[in-house]
Amino acid sequence: MADWLTSEYLEAALRRHYQDNELRVKSMVISPALGKGENYGAILTRIRLVYSSNVEEHLIAKTLLENEDAETKKKKAPYDIYNRELEIYEQVLPRLQELAGEQLCPKVLHIDREKGALIMEDLTHQGFVMAPRLQRLDEQHVSLVLRKLAKMQAASAVLENNSLENTFSLTKYDKGFFNRNTESFSAYFLGCLKSCAAYLKTQPGYERHAKLLDELAPYYMGLGLRCFQPEVAHINVLTHGDLWTNNMMFKYEAGVPSDVLLIDFQYAFWGSPTLDIHHLLNTSAVEQVSCELQMKMRCVYHDVFVGELQRHGFKGQRLPSRKQFHLESEQKRFYAVHCGLLLLPVLLNTDETDADFAALLSDQPRGMNMKRRLYLNPGIQDSIKQMVKQFELEGLLDPWQFECL
């Protein structure tokens, strides 16, 4: 926990939020909100406060990672993830929620730019829980997320369209995982790609797939960048950018998911809405959904997205038909390779050894060994083999696409 996160600090912050100078914190209890390997981008701390009036409040503090080495900080710096998230929570999400007409994310009580900290409501005390990340999400959960996402992203397209004559623009968020400003995550991505190929070489019948991945390496960052470039002819949105199980919380009624809120906007960027769909399906959905119901899930998103744009009287690009939206999704389909073969093993990792962002970003032995161990997880090996065969059938690993770079 950050040593400055004290009862005195929270008392001052909450006095400002509630505009109550008489507010007193009588006691504070803190505990980690997530275990090692469950969040690589920040420290999440659960806080229980009791005020002098004996009223309880339950909060989450999101603070900077501690003790990061200089090299890791240097590699992360171009992404500016902390300032980006604070600004989005402070300036963007309130407008999107107003346009969407419903809650999209946790309520924020305090933003500290100097310390890079967020203090927000603890959604578990509002009846929301995080789904078990290792089990992955079924059709009901995925459909609920896509409907919420579509409302948020339609609102972002409307907000941007209405802001064309103002200085405020969502297009400034141009630093997704792949972007023109930096390739500082290349050691992370290419290290995982090589580790995936090395694993497949040990599996009978997958030697050809391993060779294709090895041949992909020199072109990989360029192919990712091509996916992340906004298409002028298509409707672009503020994407979530890291849409997986641990970045959403569900509410249930009689055991059925009834609502979902999104959290963690560190990698939100302006681009194609299809990227978030590829991310969700290939990192967090059960295989029946990610493989057999992919087209259906796109339709779930598309119908809400277009309906919301119509409701707002969107005056930008022409609204896509279902067929056009499928074509747009296929145009960005290489991102599914990235999410399925590289991100899935990281997000479903069960080995806590060196499970931190510094190891992911490193091409030194500690980092490479960590990435190699990701593919020794029995929980993801069948998925990797199934997906790499499917990606080959779709032509996503074929050398012809390199000619376009």
Side-chain angles (χ1 to χ4, degrees), residues 221-395:
M221 299 302 291
L223 290 167
L225 177 60
R226 190 168 66 184
C227 290
F228 273 57
Q229 294 305 299
E231 304 293 337
V232 177
H234 302 163
I235 298 175
N236 292 291
V237 301
L238 183 69
T239 72
H240 180 280
D242 194 11
L243 193 66
W244 74 287
T245 305
N246 275 22
N247 285 339
M248 57 194 71
M249 296 186 72
F250 294 92
K251 180 176 278 189
Y252 294 85
E253 293 181 7
V256 177
S258 59
D259 195 12
V260 63
L261 296 179
L262 305 179
I263 57 178
D264 194 340
F265 293 86
Q266 290 184 335
Y267 290 98
F269 69 97
W270 186 254
S272 170
T274 67
L275 295 174
D276 274 344
I277 301 173
H278 287 313
H279 197 126
L280 176 66
L281 293 181
N282 290 280
T283 64
S284 303
V286 296
E287 286 169 7
Q288 183 202 16
V289 175
S290 61
C291 298
E292 300 173 25
L293 301 179
Q294 185 177 150
M295 299 292 275
K296 181 180 179 180
M297 294 300 98
R298 289 179 187 175
C299 290
V300 167
Y301 176 95
H302 167 272
D303 293 353
V304 176
F305 182 62
V306 169
E308 285 292 290
L309 291 173
Q310 290 172 333
R311 180 174 72 85
H312 288 292
F314 180 70
K315 302 298 184 184
Q317 296 93 328
R318 184 177 178 181
L319 303 187
S321 65
R322 278 187 173 184
K323 181 179 180 181
Q324 288 167 331
F325 192 72
H326 290 318
L327 292 174
E328 291 176 24
S329 298
E330 290 304 303
Q331 187 178 355
K332 304 294 186 180
R333 180 73 174 145
F334 182 78
Y335 189 53
V337 175
H338 178 75
C339 296
L341 299 186
L342 275 64
L343 298 188
L344 174 74
V346 176
L347 302 178
L348 298 189
N349 181 34
T350 55
D351 185 347
E352 294 185 5
T353 309
D354 294 327
D356 55 51
F357 210 62
L360 282 174
L361 293 182
S362 173
D363 58 3
Q364 298 304 303
R366 174 178 177 268
M368 292 306 297
N369 286 334
M370 179 266 190
K371 288 184 272 288
R372 177 185 57 80
R373 285 192 299 271
L374 295 175
Y375 294 88
L376 302 181
N377 177 6
I380 58 99
Q381 289 176 336
D382 286 344
S383 296
I384 292 295
K385 289 189 283 191
Q386 179 177 332
M387 283 190 287
V388 78
K389 289 201 300 188
Q390 180 61 36
F391 293 146
E392 184 198 24
L393 287 173
E394 293 181 37

Side-chain angles (χ1 to χ4, degrees), residues 88-326:
I88 286 174
Y89 267 113
E90 185 175 39
Q91 298 183 20
V92 179
L93 285 166
R95 303 186 196 190
L96 299 187
Q97 291 184 130
E98 184 178 353
L99 285 167
E102 64 181 76
Q103 188 176 6
L104 302 171
C105 64
K107 180 177 70 174
V108 173
L109 285 76
H110 179 65
I111 290 175
D112 189 330
R113 296 244 180 185
E114 182 181 344
K115 291 182 167 59
L118 277 169
I119 309 295
M120 48 194 162
E121 64 178 330
D122 185 346
L123 291 173
T124 61
H125 290 269
Q126 308 299 326
F128 288 86
V129 298
M130 199 170 280
R133 69 183 174 101
L134 300 181
Q135 292 182 17
R136 294 187 248 184
L137 305 175
D138 63 15
E139 181 181 354
Q140 283 185 317
H141 287 81
V142 172
S143 297
L144 189 65
V145 174
L146 290 175
R147 288 194 289 270
K148 179 75 74 168
L149 182 71
K151 291 179 181 179
M152 183 191 88
Q153 294 184 333
S156 73
V158 171
L159 179 62
E160 178 62 25
N161 189 249
N162 293 345
S163 303
L164 291 178
E165 297 179 2
N166 302 327
T167 55
F168 179 84
S169 176
L170 297 175
T171 61
K172 70 178 181 176
Y173 301 114
D174 60 355
K175 297 181 179 67
F177 285 147
F178 297 91
N179 65 79
R180 294 189 181 280
N181 302 284
T182 180
E183 288 193 350
S184 61
F185 279 12
S186 60
Y188 169 12
F189 298 157
L190 297 181
C192 285
L193 183 70
K194 292 172 184 175
S195 296
C196 184
Y199 162 67
L200 290 172
K201 286 174 187 174
T202 69
Q203 303 302 299
Y206 289 87
E207 297 85 356
R208 183 180 73 261
H209 302 87
K211 184 174 183 290
L212 287 171
L213 294 187
D214 280 334
E215 292 173 349
L216 193 62
Y219 308 95
Y220 192 85
M221 299 302 291
L223 290 167
L225 177 60
R226 190 168 66 184
C227 290
F228 273 57
Q229 294 305 299
E231 304 293 337
V232 177
H234 302 163
I235 298 175
N236 292 291
V237 301
L238 183 69
T239 72
H240 180 280
D242 194 11
L243 193 66
W244 74 287
T245 305
N246 275 22
N247 285 339
M248 57 194 71
M249 296 186 72
F250 294 92
K251 180 176 278 189
Y252 294 85
E253 293 181 7
V256 177
S258 59
D259 195 12
V260 63
L261 296 179
L262 305 179
I263 57 178
D264 194 340
F265 293 86
Q266 290 184 335
Y267 290 98
F269 69 97
W270 186 254
S272 170
T274 67
L275 295 174
D276 274 344
I277 301 173
H278 287 313
H279 197 126
L280 176 66
L281 293 181
N282 290 280
T283 64
S284 303
V286 296
E287 286 169 7
Q288 183 202 16
V289 175
S290 61
C291 298
E292 300 173 25
L293 301 179
Q294 185 177 150
M295 299 292 275
K296 181 180 179 180
M297 294 300 98
R298 289 179 187 175
C299 290
V300 167
Y301 176 95
H302 167 272
D303 293 353
V304 176
F305 182 62
V306 169
E308 285 292 290
L309 291 173
Q310 290 172 333
R311 180 174 72 85
H312 288 292
F314 180 70
K315 302 298 184 184
Q317 296 93 328
R318 184 177 178 181
L319 303 187
S321 65
R322 278 187 173 184
K323 181 179 180 181
Q324 288 167 331
F325 192 72
H326 290 318

Side-chain angles (χ1 to χ4, degrees), residues 70-82:
E71 184 64 21
T72 300
K73 289 181 179 179
K74 181 180 177 181
K75 288 182 176 180
K76 288 172 63 175
Y79 289 89
D80 197 26
I81 59 175
Y82 301 115

